[in-house]
Amino acid sequence: MPALPSRSKPGYVAALIALLVAASLAIAQQPVRVATYNIRFFNASVGDERLANLRQVVAALDADIIGLQEIDDRAALETLFDPAQ
């Protein structure tokens, strides 16, 4: 059995996104908008100005699927996105 790709390789993220897009297209038969964004050194103690800027960027992406990199933990993610979403 072949070894699975290491999660630390950049290709792993791209492959996962491609798989999600293909599955979404097959199910929905509609275009799916995918975006990736490297939010460098993002943690829950982010400043108000940076958080406001990041929220504007994410809203402008208008994507169905957003892949984010360099987020410390779930608390940081919930700082940027509403946990109910």
Side-chain angles (χ1 to χ4, degrees):
M1 183 166 164
L4 293 174
S6 168
R7 289 191 172 140
S8 63
K9 293 183 180 175
Y12 181 81
V13 173
L16 182 58
I17 290 172
L19 179 63
L20 289 171
V21 170
S24 296
L25 288 173
I27 293 169
Q29 294 296 313
Q30 298 177 26
V32 175
R33 188 174 176 103
V34 178
T36 63
Y37 190 59
N38 187 335
I39 302 178
R40 193 169 173 169
F41 307 118
F42 189 75
N43 57 46
S45 62
V46 64
D48 291 338
E49 184 177 346
R50 182 172 185 212
L51 184 59
N53 290 339
L54 288 171
R55 285 183 175 152
Q56 284 181 341
V57 169
V58 169
L61 291 173
D62 191 30
D64 299 307
I65 299 170
I66 303 174
L68 301 171
Q69 297 88 39
E70 294 196 40
I71 296 177
D72 277 357
D73 53 24
R74 186 173 182 95
L77 187 63
E78 290 178 356
T79 302
L80 182 58
F81 294 99
D82 179 4
Q85 294 179 345

